[in-house]
Amino acid sequence: ELKVEQNPLFLSMQEEKNYTIYCNYSTTSDRLYWYRQDPGKSLESLFVLLSNGAVKQEGRLMASLDTKARLSTLHITAAVHDLSATYFCAVDTYQAGTALIFGKGTTLSVSS
Amino acid sequence: DVKVTQSSRYLVKRTGEKVFLECVQDMDHENMFWYRQDPGLGLRLIYFSYDVKMKEKGDIPEGYSVSREKKERFSLILESASTNQTSMYLCASSSVYNEQFFGPGTRLTVL
C-alpha cells in the first residue's frame, strides 16, 4: 500500500525566516504534486513535479523531487503571513484511473 | 483556466434523504474524482471515473454511489443520508499529467 507522509503536520513560523516541509512516499513514483488549501476553501494546485530532480519555484515557495530518496521538499523562504494555509503533497500511483494518494497536510501559521 | 464547479457550496439535509451532489468540469478531462475531507483524516477518495459510464471504488465507497452519463459531469449520490456523512465533499478532474483540479467544495450537514 502506498503511503504518503508529511512532516511536520503543524508548523508555526516567524516572519522572514526559512522553513522546509517534507513529503515522503513509500513506493516508486516520479510524479508528485503540491496543493494549498486556505481555511474553508478548496485545494489549489501549486506545483507539478514530473521527474527526478525537478524543481519548481513560485514566489517564496520552491518544491523539489528526489525520486530515488522518495522525497519531495517544499521550501519556504522568508515566510510572510500570506503563506498561512494547509499544504498537501500527493503522489501518482499509476493505477487505472490514476487516483492520487494525498498526505495528511501540513498546516502553516505565520506570526510576526 | 480549468474550471470545476459544484452545484452547492452548502447543503443541509435530513437523515434518510437522498442527496445528489453535482460536479461539472469544462476542460474535457477524462478522469473525475469525488473526495470527502474531514478534520484529522485528510482527503479520502470515495469514487473516481476514467470514462463516461465507468466508475471505480475508492477507499470509502460505502453509502455512496456515482453517475457519469456525460464526460463533463460526475454526480455523487448519497442513497440514504446519515449523520456520519456530514463532511466537506470535493470534486476534482485531472489533466493528462494527472494534475487534479478541484471544485470549490460542498459542505454537507446531515441532521
Side-chain angles (χ1 to χ4, degrees):
Chain A
E1 180 189 351
L2 174 62
K3 292 185 179 179
V4 179
E5 294 183 346
Q6 291 182 235
N7 70 83
L9 296 182
F10 299 94
L11 184 56
S12 181
M13 306 188 293
Q14 292 184 330
E15 282 186 331
E16 299 303 318
K17 292 198 173 179
N18 302 331
Y19 297 88
T20 301
I21 302 170
Y22 299 90
C23 175
N24 293 271
Y25 54 98
S26 61
T27 193
T28 303
S29 176
D30 59 3
R31 290 189 177 188
L32 190 134
Y33 312 80
W34 283 97
Y35 293 86
R36 169 181 170 142
Q37 185 178 38
D38 292 299
K41 301 289 180 68
S42 189
L43 277 74
E44 173 189 0
S45 180
L46 285 176
F47 299 112
V48 178
L49 304 170
L50 299 178
S51 62
N52 184 41
V55 177
K56 294 281 183 73
Q57 183 163 5
E58 177 77 30
R60 298 172 188 270
L61 300 177
M62 184 175 72
S64 63
L65 178 61
D66 181 344
T67 59
K68 293 179 182 176
R70 299 178 184 175
L71 171 69
S72 179
T73 59
L74 182 65
H75 188 71
I76 300 142
T77 301
V80 292
H81 184 72
D82 285 353
L83 294 178
S84 297
T86 299
Y87 294 81
F88 293 89
C89 64
V91 176
D92 195 337
T93 64
Y94 291 101
Q95 295 172 1
T98 57
L100 300 183
I101 304 297
F102 284 81
K104 291 268 193 262
T106 297
T107 298
L108 304 185
S109 175
V110 181
S111 57
S112 53
Chain B
D1 281 350
V2 175
K3 192 165 184 182
V4 180
T5 58
Q6 295 183 229
S7 50
S8 304
R9 294 297 301 275
Y10 301 93
L11 208 53
V12 179
K13 295 291 182 180
R14 298 209 172 269
T15 302
E17 281 192 79
K18 191 169 186 176
V19 182
F20 293 87
L21 303 182
E22 303 279 333
C23 175
V24 178
Q25 51 96 3
D26 67 357
M27 283 301 291
D28 202 35
H29 287 166
E30 302 287 344
N31 300 327
M32 296 187 74
F33 308 83
W34 275 106
Y35 297 88
R36 65 178 282 178
Q37 185 178 27
D38 302 286
L41 297 178
L43 270 76
R44 293 183 291 168
L45 181 65
I46 305 172
Y47 270 97
F48 63 96
S49 168
Y50 51 91
D51 202 353
V52 175
K53 296 191 185 294
M54 305 301 289
K55 60 185 179 184
E56 291 284 342
K57 292 180 180 179
D59 300 319
I60 52 163
E62 297 77 19
Y64 303 94
S65 62
V66 290
S67 172
R68 192 157 181 210
E69 297 295 321
K70 294 184 177 181
K71 191 175 185 179
E72 67 271 18
R73 189 181 298 269
F74 191 35
S75 302
L76 179 69
I77 303 153
L78 287 65
E79 296 290 343
S80 178
S82 63
T83 55
N84 63 13
Q85 292 178 311
T86 292
S87 187
M88 169 72 99
Y89 289 88
L90 296 168
C91 174
S93 68
S94 67
S95 68
V96 62
Y97 294 111
N98 212 21
E99 179 184 10
Q100 290 193 8
F101 296 89
F102 285 83
T106 296
R107 188 166 293 281
L108 172 67
T109 301
V110 182
L111 302 176

